Amino acid sequence: MTDRAKDTTRISRRTVLTGAAAAAGTGLLGGFPAVIAAEPVTLRYLGTAVNQSKDIAQKVKADLGITIEYIPVTTDDVSKRIITQPGSFDVADTEYFSLRKLIPSGNLVGMDAKRIKYADKITPVFTKGEVAGKRIGDQGTAPRKVFYLEGQSSTKFASSPTQWITLIPTTYNADTLGIRPDLIKRPITSWSELLNPEFKGKASILNIPSIGIMDAAMVVEALGVHKYRDKGNMTRPELDLTMKTLIDAKKAGQFRAFWKDFNESVNLMASGETVIQSMWSPAVTKVRSMGIPCVYQPLKEGYRAWAAGFGLPKTLKGKKLDAAYDFINWFLSGWAGAFLNRQGYYSAVLETAKASMEPYEWAYWMEGKPAEKDIKAPDGTLLEKAGAVRDGGSYEARMGGVACWNAVMDENDYMVRKWNEFIAA
């Protein structure tokens, strides 16, 4: 996901309860201190624009009396602010793969699981690396590897569950390739198709090194060129081999473009300039909402996953710290989870999100069942007509098919240098 700051499809929910109606009608206020409403607090929320919804901010204001002040920056700048200016924000929404850079700084503290109302309900994708009791792929920075700290102020990850949590999940998903089935006109089942000469000049890979390299590794492995020990932490020889494969394809004219932001990926697919490319789920939804066939294609080798979550700076104290916990507990209590699920993301606590969704919505988004009714975005925009089935099927099928996670490699500097050579080749 790295620079999702350009994602302009963040869907807005127009109808929000306010004041007494919110308190009486949502049922979300149970367990939330009423003192917050009496003593207004503003929380500075640092993150990428994609996770910063004005509808969530309005709902938090209505339910808790907390004002959310968004600080929208790129993913890389989220990390820079955490490391260099921990006093400039109150809540950070950052990626799990960034934690290996962030935790050593000591600027993020472990969150007290005893203060997180739904801590024991967080999906085992994060706490155990499992879906429905089965282990999933954990190459790269799988959240379970970095979910707990040894102590509240520790700079070391714990190898088993502790009271101290690094990040409370906000959004996560499993990514694959987007295709134009109307233009390809045959089944696509493997990552290797991205470099199939059949699609010469009509393929694209995203130009965000830490993610693009993972997509490239999925392709290289699918081609049978090389089997990686860990696609999320390659050796220099593996990086050389991966980049040579990409450079050879580029010189042969395989790629139409290298996109960096959401809108670029949408425009490439909608125009038909590309027929197969790296994509993000909401971008596929955006193309489809334009009346253009586009599929987020499940592939036999599995998915590349990503995850983001809330972290708290060591500088947070007193009333603001209490408010931050109240906000995070609210975020896990259902409304926000349903809001995110309706956009194709996944939420941290499934049972509260389910309780906030209509049964037909849950069946479509999470169970992989044909839509009993038209599926609409939070703002009422038609996303899918009745009878449609979500790409990738159920939550268990999709998250259960994860092969690797976004990561920061030990050889990150070398990787970026080699990636830039590929783009310039």
Side-chain angles (χ1 to χ4, degrees):
M1 152 177 163
T2 296
D3 195 355
R4 294 192 167 170
K6 301 293 180 70
D7 181 350
T8 57
T9 70
R10 203 61 168 147
I11 305 168
S12 301
R13 180 161 185 148
R14 304 300 179 203
T15 306
V16 291
L17 296 170
T18 56
T26 66
L28 291 178
L29 291 182
F32 297 128
V35 69
I36 293 299
E39 299 179 25
V41 176
T42 295
L43 292 177
R44 297 166 297 169
Y45 180 132
L46 174 69
T48 61
V50 65
N51 281 0
Q52 298 182 346
S53 163
K54 67 181 180 64
D55 300 273
I56 286 177
Q58 288 172 343
K59 188 67 173 154
V60 173
K61 182 72 170 179
D63 285 355
L64 299 184
I66 295 173
T67 298
I68 300 297
E69 178 184 295
Y70 287 127
I71 306 172
V73 298
T74 66
T75 296
D76 287 345
D77 284 339
V78 172
S79 295
K80 289 175 184 175
R81 287 281 285 265
I82 291 171
I83 292 171
T84 63
Q85 302 175 59
S88 67
F89 62 92
D90 304 310
V91 176
D93 191 347
T94 188
E95 304 235 15
Y96 279 83
F97 79 79
S98 298
L99 286 175
R100 293 196 187 279
K101 293 188 295 184
L102 302 177
I103 292 301
S105 74
N107 287 343
L108 291 181
V109 294
M111 281 177 281
D112 189 347
K114 292 180 179 179
R115 297 189 67 177
I116 303 297
K117 183 176 180 181
Y118 298 100
D120 63 341
K121 302 289 187 182
I122 292 172
T123 169
V125 165
F126 289 84
T127 57
K128 299 178 181 178
E130 296 178 355
V131 171
K134 297 178 182 178
R135 290 297 292 268
I136 59 177
D138 68 352
Q139 289 188 18
T141 307
R144 71 165 188 87
K145 299 177 182 178
V146 294
F147 198 74
Y148 297 102
L149 292 179
E150 292 181 352
Q152 184 173 21
S153 300
S154 176
T155 55
K156 292 185 178 180
F157 299 109
S159 56
S160 58
T162 70
Q163 183 180 338
W164 309 105
I165 298 172
T166 53
L167 300 177
I168 297 295
T170 49
T171 56
Y172 58 104
N173 213 329
D175 287 355
T176 183
L177 296 175
I179 67 167
R180 282 287 301 270
D182 57 321
L183 300 178
I184 291 178
K185 298 179 180 177
R186 68 170 178 82
I188 296 293
T189 62
S190 173
W191 280 87
S192 64
E193 297 279 16
L194 187 66
L195 295 191
N196 190 327
E198 178 184 342
F199 308 125
K200 179 179 178 180
K202 289 187 172 292
S204 178
I205 194 167
L206 78 168
N207 184 16
I208 298 171
S210 60
I211 305 176
I213 189 67
M214 301 291 278
D215 283 358
M218 294 294 286
V219 173
V220 167
E221 209 165 78
L223 286 167
V225 174
H226 179 69
K227 180 76 172 177
Y228 300 87
R229 181 188 60 80
D230 184 347
K231 286 183 280 291
N233 199 18
M234 299 182 204
T235 62
R236 287 196 176 199
E238 286 178 327
L239 287 166
D240 291 342
L241 179 149
T242 306
M243 290 307 173
K244 182 181 185 304
T245 304
L246 287 182
I247 289 171
D248 288 348
K250 183 183 180 187
K251 288 181 176 178
Q254 184 69 11
F255 299 110
R256 170 65 183 85
F258 306 98
W259 62 267
K260 274 194 171 183
D261 72 54
F262 178 93
N263 287 326
E264 285 179 279
S265 71
V266 169
N267 293 338
L268 285 167
M269 285 298 260
S271 66
E273 290 181 66
T274 62
V275 299
I276 185 168
Q277 67 174 31
S278 302
M279 282 191 90
W280 295 327
S281 180
V284 174
T285 301
K286 176 67 174 177
V287 174
R288 284 219 285 252
S289 73
M290 298 161 69
I292 298 167
C294 191
V295 172
Y296 210 40
Q297 184 61 49
L299 302 169
K300 62 185 179 182
E301 297 88 7
Y303 294 86
R304 174 188 51 74
W306 57 268
F310 288 129
L312 300 181
K314 65 179 181 181
T315 53
L316 205 60
K317 308 289 182 186
K319 187 169 69 171
K320 279 210 170 189
L321 179 61
D322 294 339
Y325 274 107
D326 289 338
F327 168 57
I328 291 168
N329 280 322
W330 174 87
F331 200 92
L332 299 179
S333 68
W335 189 92
F339 182 86
L340 295 168
N341 286 355
R342 291 186 185 108
Q343 296 169 69
Y345 297 112
Y346 292 126
S347 52
V349 180
L350 301 184
E351 67 178 57
T352 57
K354 182 177 183 179
S356 297
M357 298 176 76
E358 295 294 333
Y360 77 91
E361 291 181 301
W362 183 263
Y364 170 80
W365 288 113
M366 303 299 289
E367 295 176 344
K369 295 178 180 178
E372 293 181 9
K373 303 179 183 180
D374 288 351
I375 298 298
K376 297 181 179 180
D379 68 349
T381 302
L382 179 67
L383 294 180
E384 297 288 356
K385 293 184 178 179
V389 177
R390 181 177 184 177
D391 295 342
S394 69
Y395 175 85
E396 287 186 15
R398 192 151 163 182
M399 291 309 301
V402 167
C404 60
W405 294 81
N406 285 359
V408 174
M409 302 185 188
D410 292 342
E411 292 285 359
N412 184 66
D413 291 346
Y414 184 77
M415 182 276 290
V416 172
R417 190 161 75 247
K418 297 299 289 186
W419 182 270
N420 290 337
E421 289 176 10
F422 155 59
I423 296 298

